[in-house]
Structure formats: C-alpha cells, structure tokens
Amino acid sequence: MVYGLGIESSCDETSIAIVKNGKELISHKVYSQIETHSPYRGVVPEIASRAHLEKINSLLAVCIEESKLTFSDLSYVAVTGYPGLVGSLMIGAQLARCISLVHSIPIVLVNHLEAHLAVIGLENELPPFPWLGVLLSGGNSSIYIYKGFGDLELLADTQDDSLGEAFDKVSAVLNLPYPGGPIIEKKAFEYVKPKGEKSPFPKLLKEDGPDTIRFSYSGLKTAVLYYIKSLTETETLPIEKITYYFQKTAFELVVRNIRKAINRTQIKTVVAAGGVLANETLRSYLQTEAQNQSFQLYYPQKKIYCTDNGAMVACLGYHLWNEKKFVGLDFKVSPKRNFEQIL
Ligand code: KG4
C-alpha cells in the first residue's frame, strides 16, 4: 500500500490531498480564493501567497485527521513546483520541505500542467501513452504530446489570451462577475437560438491551413466588443445571445485543433483538462467529436478535478515516485512551464 501526500498552491487554490496507490482518493481539501480576488477581476499574487500561508497548515491537519493515517504512513510528498506564481509556489514548497525533513519522506516535484492531465488516473485505468494532452485553463490553451510521466512535448499553444482568460475578459465586458466561465456558461444555456440565425462573430483563425495548429482568443474578445458597440442605444444588451455565440466560436477552434493534432500525430487518445473543462457545452462538443472521429476521450468527470487541486498532484506524484524521481530539500520552484530540475 502506497500513500502519498499532494500539495497544490500554484495560483488561487490551496489544496492538500492523500492518495492511495496513485488512484484512490483518501482525503482531499481545497480552499478557493476566488472570492478574495474577485473584486480585482484576476488573481493578485501578493494576496494569493498570503492566503496560502494562512490556510495551508489547517488544510494539512484536517486531511491527515480525515485519512486516519499518520505521517509515518506516507511514502512521498508531492508538491507543485512549476509553473505558477512564485510567491504562492514557495508556500507549498516550504511545507513539503518541512514534512520531508521532519518525517524523512522523499519529495517529488510536480509539473502543474502535467498533473491536470494525469488526474484522470483517479477516475480511470490510465490508457497507454502517448496521449494528446489538451490544456484549457486560465493560463493555458495548449496541446501537448504526453509521452510518459515527466515527458511532455508542446505541440500547439496560444498566441495571446488563453481560453479561460477570454471567458474572464468577455465577462468583464458584459459586466458579469469574475471568474467568467460559470456565469457565461449559465447565460449561454438560456439562449434559444432562432432557426437559421448566423453567428455575429467570425470563425477564428480561418486562414490557418491543416498544418498550423494554434490558439488565439484576443480577436474574439475584440469581436464581442465591436458587436456591443454596433448596438443602438434603444437595444438591450443581448447577453444570452453573445455568450452563446462566444462559446460556440471559441469551442469550434478547440475541436478543429484537436482534429488537426490527431491527423498530424495519429495519436488517438485525447485527454482534456483544466478549469474550462468544467463547461458542459465544451464537454458535449468534445464527446460528439470523439464519436465522429473515433478517438478515445478522457476528461475529469468530477469538476473539482478540473480546477486546481491537490489530488492531481498526489496522483501524478505516485507515478514519479515509482520512477524514483525525487528532489532534494534545495529544489527550486519556477513560473516557467518548461522548467528543468536537476534531480
Ligand atoms: O485551471 P483553472 O482553475 O486555473 C487557472 O488556470 O488559474 O482555470 C480557471 C479558468 C478561469 O478562467 C475560469 O473562467 C475558467 O477556468 N472556468 C470556466 C468554467 N469554470 C471555470 N470556463 C468555462 N466554463 C466554465 N464552467
């Protein structure tokens, strides 16, 4: 029996989890700072790191208590090392160092982005590598070739805004709350599209041929702005219509890029993850595409596994521990996603 602890503090969620054998969740606590940052419409790094510091010890205590384990039962402590806000990462890193030092438990350093993909191991038998890893979050719109634990190759990236950022910015333009994802999804659901109505927004990156795989969402945000400006003073802002077509346009690019990535790599296992995967419309677009194109699709079923969480860190940590990928107490954290640790 292998029990491992996962620590996540890279952005605005403080989270601790204990996982058994890399696939069974024993205890899990997530503290979200969304309410704290929402007046600023984005994460304020200094506030984030202070909030992690205030919460992390009590989350650890509750997690250990609920698990009915002691520190001596743990085989590893996994911690998110990169990418993230450095001040926030350091809070989790310091906790990992303390636990390791006091209880002689090895530390495993985890790539936050990889952990978002590997978390499917808590809900499924892991499919054989390679996978296409599609990350859609507040900081990323990218597609990776996931070749093995700790081995990711970037295939496609965003040129500007990430998909989550586009949700947040369009929400601000519409005077809706932060974060934008959940409220835009709700408003879009309420729209009843008249038969034959055309989208007010152009197809994204329509000039790209089959060999170009990339994301870009800043143009869509501008298109929303121009559309609002084009309305006359007597017209009420059609929030439901705008959110409906915003989602449709944004998700069409995701589906198109996945199709291109499969064609280029011939990899037929697609793992999609990140905060935006909480969106039901996106989930159904992907399911339809998987059926039509016959690929195996995975994404976290539980929405708590879409946003940042300690379970994904403990889960990936297990596989890295298995491969003896430990780091010393002097490990570094980094804002960079292609950060290389010297093991
Ligand atoms: O992965 P995540 O929790 O963390 C960061 O990348 O920081 O992603 C957060 C992003 C936010 O931009 C938020 O608006 C978006 O995920 N999001 C959603 C939904 N829930 C959260 N986007 C679309 N639909 C949702 N239901």
Side-chain angles (χ1 to χ4, degrees), residues 11-13 43 112 116 136-140 162-168 178-183 185 247 251 274-280 303 306-308:
C11 191
D12 56 346
E13 266 92 25
V43 179
H112 177 82
H116 268 301
L136 302 167
S137 67
N140 291 273
S162 71
L163 181 50
E165 215 173 336
F167 268 92
D168 297 337
Y178 170 88
I183 185 74
E185 177 176 16
Q247 286 200 159
F251 296 158
V276 186
L277 257 295
N279 189 293
E280 293 293 344
K303 295 197 176 171
C306 292
T307 44
D308 295 348

Side-chain angles (χ1 to χ4, degrees), residues 212-231:
T212 310
I213 316 176
R214 58 179 184 151
F215 294 91
S216 169
Y217 286 110
S218 69
L220 179 54
K221 176 196 63 194
T222 311
V224 171
L225 264 175
Y226 278 122
Y227 178 72
I228 294 171
K229 276 190 186 157
S230 76
L231 299 170

Side-chain angles (χ1 to χ4, degrees), residues 137-286:
S137 67
N140 291 273
S141 299
S142 33
I143 303 181
Y144 287 89
I145 301 176
Y146 194 178
K147 300 174 182 171
F149 298 113
D151 191 2
L152 292 174
E153 181 190 327
L154 187 64
L155 185 71
D157 206 1
T158 182
Q159 310 294 296
D160 39 60
D161 293 350
S162 71
L163 181 50
E165 215 173 336
F167 268 92
D168 297 337
K169 287 182 176 171
V170 166
S171 186
V173 166
L174 296 174
N175 235 341
L176 296 172
Y178 170 88
I183 185 74
I184 288 187
E185 177 176 16
K186 182 168 176 288
K187 294 287 177 191
F189 263 132
E190 287 164 17
Y191 189 57
V192 184
K193 177 181 169 294
K195 231 181 166 181
E197 184 180 67
K198 292 242 165 64
S199 172
F201 309 131
K203 181 175 171 179
L204 301 177
L205 299 175
K206 58 174 176 291
E207 67 279 16
D208 285 355
D211 295 333
T212 310
I213 316 176
R214 58 179 184 151
F215 294 91
S216 169
Y217 286 110
S218 69
L220 179 54
K221 176 196 63 194
T222 311
V224 171
L225 264 175
Y226 278 122
Y227 178 72
I228 294 171
K229 276 190 186 157
S230 76
L231 299 170
T232 62
E233 272 177 27
T234 52
E235 282 179 275
T236 47
L237 187 64
I239 291 183
E240 290 76 10
K241 176 177 174 177
I242 294 173
T243 52
Y244 173 85
Y245 283 109
F246 163 76
Q247 286 200 159
K248 196 170 187 309
T249 311
F251 296 158
E252 186 276 330
L253 181 62
V254 173
V255 170
R256 197 180 346 137
N257 279 340
I258 292 176
R259 204 175 302 155
K260 287 184 192 176
I262 293 174
N263 280 341
R264 184 187 294 178
T265 62
Q266 293 303 312
I267 297 171
K268 294 248 172 187
T269 303
V270 175
V271 179
V276 186
L277 257 295
N279 189 293
E280 293 293 344
T281 308
L282 175 59
R283 288 171 177 237
S284 74
Y285 268 56
L286 295 181

Side-chain angles (χ1 to χ4, degrees), residues 41-55:
R41 287 200 164 271
V43 179
V44 184
E46 177 64 23
I47 295 177
S49 40
R50 283 170 192 268
H52 287 304
L53 189 56
E54 276 169 21
K55 289 286 171 198

Side-chain angles (χ1 to χ4, degrees), residues 15-227:
S15 181
I16 308 274
I18 294 175
V19 162
K20 184 169 137 188
N21 296 334
K23 51 186 177 191
E24 191 184 327
L25 191 63
I26 302 296
S27 57
H28 193 199
K29 293 286 149 212
V30 183
Y31 173 75
S32 168
Q33 303 174 6
I34 282 180
E35 276 183 29
T36 316
H37 297 290
S38 118
Y40 307 98
R41 287 200 164 271
V43 179
V44 184
E46 177 64 23
I47 295 177
S49 40
R50 283 170 192 268
H52 287 304
L53 189 56
E54 276 169 21
K55 289 286 171 198
I56 206 158
N57 286 338
S58 53
L59 294 181
L60 174 67
V62 176
C63 236
I64 293 281
E65 194 186 321
E66 283 188 3
S67 72
K68 308 215 179 339
L69 299 170
T70 64
F71 284 103
S72 61
D73 296 315
L74 299 176
S75 297
Y76 63 90
V77 48
V79 60
T80 301
Y82 63 100
L85 302 168
V86 169
S88 293
L89 289 166
M90 280 168 63
I91 307 298
Q94 206 52 14
L95 181 64
R97 291 186 184 105
C98 291
I99 295 170
S100 172
L101 191 63
V102 173
H103 300 285
S104 303
I105 304 170
I107 301 174
V108 177
L109 202 73
V110 161
N111 172 345
H112 177 82
L113 305 179
E114 185 183 353
H116 268 301
L117 301 171
V119 76
I120 61 155
L122 289 175
E123 295 176 327
N124 310 271
E125 275 304 316
L126 286 181
F129 288 114
W131 315 342
L132 282 175
V134 182
L135 264 165
L136 302 167
S137 67
N140 291 273
S141 299
S142 33
I143 303 181
Y144 287 89
I145 301 176
Y146 194 178
K147 300 174 182 171
F149 298 113
D151 191 2
L152 292 174
E153 181 190 327
L154 187 64
L155 185 71
D157 206 1
T158 182
Q159 310 294 296
D160 39 60
D161 293 350
S162 71
L163 181 50
E165 215 173 336
F167 268 92
D168 297 337
K169 287 182 176 171
V170 166
S171 186
V173 166
L174 296 174
N175 235 341
L176 296 172
Y178 170 88
I183 185 74
I184 288 187
E185 177 176 16
K186 182 168 176 288
K187 294 287 177 191
F189 263 132
E190 287 164 17
Y191 189 57
V192 184
K193 177 181 169 294
K195 231 181 166 181
E197 184 180 67
K198 292 242 165 64
S199 172
F201 309 131
K203 181 175 171 179
L204 301 177
L205 299 175
K206 58 174 176 291
E207 67 279 16
D208 285 355
D211 295 333
T212 310
I213 316 176
R214 58 179 184 151
F215 294 91
S216 169
Y217 286 110
S218 69
L220 179 54
K221 176 196 63 194
T222 311
V224 171
L225 264 175
Y226 278 122
Y227 178 72

